[in-house]
Amino acid sequence: MKIGIGLPNQVREMDPAIIPTWATRAEKAGFSSLGSIGHIAYPGLMDTVALAAVAGATSTIGLISHIMAAPMWPAVLLAKEVAGIDAVSGNRLTLGISVGGRSDDFLVDGLGPRGRGKRLDRDLEVYRSIWRGETVGGASNPLVPAGTRSVPLMFGGGSPASFERMARWGEGYIGPSVPVGMAAQMFDAAGSAWKKAGREGSPRLVAIAYYVFSDVEQGRANVQHYYSASGEQTIDIVDSGICAGPDAVREAVKAYSELGVDEIIFTPALADTHEVGRLAEVVL
């Protein structure tokens, strides 16, 4: 099982200047991927900006969004933005998306939370058309350079439509930041949808887990603050899945490995670059 590390782009009161340093340390340590979290209505760094920054600061480590609420973007603009990040990185980006679960993130006029599932289905067609170099939306020229590839897609979410979308369009499924037992149910549903769709093999499965070493109390407070608009139940569920300390991190690696997950990405609860080295010492 591969082990990646998240970026602290949505940690409370993070300094955006930390992102390139975090990325270079993660690559040097040997992590498989760098992951970004997306939440517009929060004082963090936009996931596309964070991914673009680390695309330029690194050369080999994989990049992945986990997860971007795609329907809050105009489809044409997101497709071009993502294609550019992928190209700058040397084709290292995997785009993890979902319909989005926070209504306050939908800030663009005309792109509200209502009907976002059907809108995403239409948007996916737009993404592929743009990445294939076709003209769309009345443009007089293709919107991306020749040779642009179709960016690999993965999906999150817990509804039947999310799993069906994953099986039709994606390479696999990204689990939520919840305790292992709850995530296992999601991975089982992803596998079932994959088989039902007639896809060969198995979907790529990526687990996400928060971690913290140096200041557990502050780390928990940061995660709770990030999910504060989602309600007490969600906060409690996510908090119970935080890996606080080396033993909890090792237990998560063991548990997800036994589930057959392809990769686990540990998302930082602190924006402290020393957390990169501490995690590497424990899991790599």
Side-chain angles (χ1 to χ4, degrees):
M1 183 177 68
K2 297 179 179 179
I3 299 180
I5 186 171
L7 294 164
N9 64 301
Q10 295 289 352
V11 174
R12 180 170 51 165
E13 297 181 358
M14 58 85 63
D15 178 1
I18 197 178
I19 295 296
T21 300
W22 187 284
T24 55
R25 290 191 179 188
E27 182 171 69
K28 185 176 181 180
F31 288 102
S32 57
S33 298
L34 279 163
S36 69
I37 297 178
H39 188 2
I40 289 181
Y42 194 80
L45 185 65
M46 191 73 174
D47 42 8
T48 50
V49 176
L51 289 167
V54 301
T58 61
S59 58
T60 59
I61 193 169
L63 310 178
I64 184 170
S65 59
H66 60 78
I67 293 177
M68 187 185 301
M72 66 189 182
W73 284 79
V76 172
L77 295 182
L78 180 58
K80 180 158 185 173
E81 184 103 338
V82 167
I85 296 170
D86 184 55
V88 168
S89 75
N91 297 341
R92 289 184 283 132
L93 177 64
T94 297
L95 182 64
I97 58 176
S98 74
V99 295
R102 300 180 177 94
S103 59
D104 57 348
D105 273 340
F106 292 82
L107 301 176
V108 178
D109 290 343
L111 298 179
R114 185 175 181 180
R116 60 189 184 274
K118 291 182 179 179
R119 190 163 72 244
L120 178 56
D121 290 332
R122 295 192 299 269
D123 290 351
L124 287 165
E125 298 281 0
V126 174
Y127 302 163
R128 288 292 168 85
S129 294
I130 290 175
W131 295 337
R132 285 195 297 259
E134 300 171 4
T135 57
V136 298
S140 58
N141 293 299
L143 301 179
V144 295
T148 295
R149 70 166 184 161
S150 289
V151 179
L153 295 169
M154 294 189 68
F155 291 81
S159 69
S162 296
F163 293 116
E164 291 169 5
R165 198 173 286 119
M166 178 275 303
R168 179 184 177 190
W169 292 94
E171 292 191 345
Y173 179 74
I174 300 175
S177 301
V178 297
V180 177
M182 295 181 66
Q185 300 175 35
M186 302 292 193
F187 292 132
D188 287 343
S192 296
W194 192 267
K195 292 179 180 178
K196 184 177 180 180
R199 298 285 297 271
E200 294 184 0
S202 302
R204 176 187 171 192
L205 301 177
V206 174
I208 307 296
Y210 279 102
Y211 83 96
V212 58
F213 288 115
S214 62
D215 190 338
V216 173
E217 182 177 349
Q218 184 60 56
R220 288 191 180 279
N222 289 342
V223 174
Q224 291 167 6
H225 189 270
Y226 179 74
Y227 286 94
S228 59
S230 300
E232 289 298 325
Q233 183 178 15
T234 297
I235 293 173
D236 290 343
I237 290 173
V238 174
D239 182 76
S240 65
I242 296 174
C243 299
D247 289 342
V249 167
R250 293 188 187 99
E251 289 173 7
V253 170
K254 182 176 183 294
Y256 279 115
S257 179
E258 291 173 350
L259 284 180
V261 168
D262 297 287
E263 183 176 24
I264 180 171
I265 299 177
F266 285 100
T267 303
L270 296 176
D272 177 354
T273 55
H274 292 98
E275 294 283 280
V276 178
R278 293 187 181 104
L279 181 64
E281 291 173 357
V282 173
V283 299
L284 297 182

